[in-house]
């Protein structure tokens, strides 16, 4: 039998393709077909989201719920946010409850998310694979407090639902297990947008039929990736280009540049699939999926792996960091354009439509990068000698251009799956494990040491100990000046 436990450092299968497989497909983990379980949860989401959207699911005081706050971080936040934002303008007429995303543990984020919301008409979706992530759980407890303070403890059953692999902790938290939507160990956090993590919030917003199209788009790319010869296989070709740029040409970064505002959250999502880490010993910049310092067998890599991803929608980026891309360091770029705008505008008397104006830039930028401008060309334009070095463009700067027919749920699913598989292709060639993320653990455990110190200093006046000189000085200073709310004087939630 095929070994699907390719995430060998966590003894986990990697099966996010099963999340979008057709009902009749057989995909096994540990000898068990997981597709029926996937569809059981999808069917449950369909039913629940229809109840909420139709107003049949009412809150503790009998009112329909009109706002959704999704609480989650990392993969339990960025993927759904990217898809939600991508479809927002296309499907504005379907958008039922409003959609807020609470990720940061910063209380400012809580305050901003619930500003103007009424607990009576709000549904909170707590999204956490582990249900232990410190930020998410504190935010969830904060919103539970917000709801119960206004409506009483029983209101949690009507106003809070959860998405998790850890249904025991969901129940312990006080959420009715009937209102929990499961997913599985074989879904990595950053590959979870096609599970209940993304499907529940998106179904609540746009309806289940839209989400089905999104899943179908991703599934079509899964089939393409599985069966298309390498020379025509989009994720394979893109992955090879990335490996070439990083490991052979030594370019450490990649700019993701969608020429549509609808994809403004795409680069942040791909960044999470490749979160930068810093290895002081080798000044190695690394990433959550692919920026590993060692091979899958634990041997230190003799080459650089992973890219530093960043990006902004065009044309905004053109007015900030493109200067460096054109004349400074070489940054391979992914240009993503769309043929048919979600929002066509053509003003009378204008030379082109607004979308054509945007797309003029999409076509121009890769050419500028590739071909540049020579000193000879500048001379023939009578540019003065002293400005020639400043106005010269070296060219020979790599980019790829993806042109989507439109940006609907189906195409967004395709785009997501292309990038997911591309990450895997790169990881396979580099011989690393693209599916673990041990590099995030050290910071988490040090934060827990700080948390204990803050508690003992605040409650017992204990002095700071056990930290290095710099952190001791900073912590002492922090404890000296910050006014904190005491337990008997709780922080108000607006
Ligand atoms: O869904 P959880 O368990 O709350 O985890 C959130 C995120 O934290 C990480 O484990 C590390 O940042 C991500 O991989 C994950 O998406």
């Amino acid at each position: 039998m095929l070994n699907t436990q390719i995430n060998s450092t966590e003894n986990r299968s990697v099966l996010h393709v099963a999340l979008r497989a057709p009902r009749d497909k057989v995909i096994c983990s540990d000898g068990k077909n997981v597709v029926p379980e996937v569809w059981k949860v999808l069917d449950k989401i369909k039913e629940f989201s229809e109840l909420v959207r139709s107003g049949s699911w009412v809150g503790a005081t009998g009112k329909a719920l009109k706002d959704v706050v999704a609480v989650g971080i990392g993969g339990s936040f960025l993927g759904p946010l990217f898809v939600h934002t991508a479809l927002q303008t296309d499907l504005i007429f379907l958008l039922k409850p409003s959609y807020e995303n609470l990720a940061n543990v910063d209380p400012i984020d809580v305050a901003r998310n619930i500003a103007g919301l009424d607990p009576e008409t709000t549904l909170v979706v707590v999204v956490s694979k582990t249900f232990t992530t410190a930020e998410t759980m504190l935010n969830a407890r904060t919103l539970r407090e917000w709801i119960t303070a206004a409506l009483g403890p029983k209101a949690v059953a009507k106003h809070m639902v959860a998405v998790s692999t850890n249904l025991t902790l969901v129940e312990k938290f006080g959420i009715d297990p009937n209102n929990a939507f499961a997913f599985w160990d074989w879904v990595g956090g950053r590959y979870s947008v096609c599970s209940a993590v993304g499907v529940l919030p998106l179904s609540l917003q746009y309806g289940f039929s839209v989400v089905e199209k999104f899943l179908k788009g991703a599934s079509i790319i899964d089939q393409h990736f599985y069966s298309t010869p390498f020379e025509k296989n989009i994720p394979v070709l893109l992955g090879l280009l990335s490996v070439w740029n990083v490991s052979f040409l030594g370019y450490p970064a990649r700019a993701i540049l969608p020429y549509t505002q609808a994809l403004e959250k795409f680069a942040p999502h791909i960044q999470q699939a490749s979160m930068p880490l810093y290895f002081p010993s080798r000044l190695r910049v690394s990433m959550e999926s692919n920026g590993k310092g060692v091979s899958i067998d634990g041997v230190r890599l003799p080459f650089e792996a992973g890219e530093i991803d960043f990006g902004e929608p065009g044309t905004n980026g053109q007015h900030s960091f493109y200067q460096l891309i054109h004349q400074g360091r070489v940054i391979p770029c992914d240009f993503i354009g769309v043929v048919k705008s979600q929002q066509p505008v053509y003003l009378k008397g204008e030379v082109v439509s607004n979308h054509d104006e945007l797309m003029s830039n999409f076509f121009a930028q890769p050419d500028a990068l590739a071909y540049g401008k020579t000193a000879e060309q500048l001379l023939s334009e009578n540019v003065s000698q002293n400005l020639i070095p400043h106005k010269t463009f070296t060219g020979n700067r790599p980019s790829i251009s993806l042109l989507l027919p439109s940006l609907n749920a189906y195409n967004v699913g395709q785009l997501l799956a292309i990038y997911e598989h591309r990450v895997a292709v790169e990881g396979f060639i580099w011989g690393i494990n693209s599916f673990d993320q041990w590099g995030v653990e050290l910071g988490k455990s040090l934060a827990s040491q700080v948390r204990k110190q803050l508690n003992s200093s605040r409650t017992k006046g204990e002095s700071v100990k056990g930290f290095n000189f710099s952190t001791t000085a900073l912590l002492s200073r922090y404890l000296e000046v910050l006014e904190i709310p005491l337990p008997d004087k709780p922080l108000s939630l607006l």
Side-chain angles (χ1 to χ4, degrees), residues 7-23:
N7 179 358
S8 54
T9 58
E10 294 180 329
N11 294 325
R12 286 182 187 155
S13 299
V14 177
L15 285 179
H16 45 276
V17 291
L19 300 170
R20 52 243 190 173
R23 269 184 208 271

Side-chain angles (χ1 to χ4, degrees), residues 73-76 127-131 133 136 189-190 272 275 288 437 440 444:
I73 199 162
S76 296
V127 186
S128 175
K129 180 175 170 181
T130 54
F131 231 68
T133 301
T136 300
R190 55 195 176 273
Q272 199 259 340
M275 185 169 69
E288 183 154 311
Q437 59 286 314
V440 302
K444 282 188 199 171

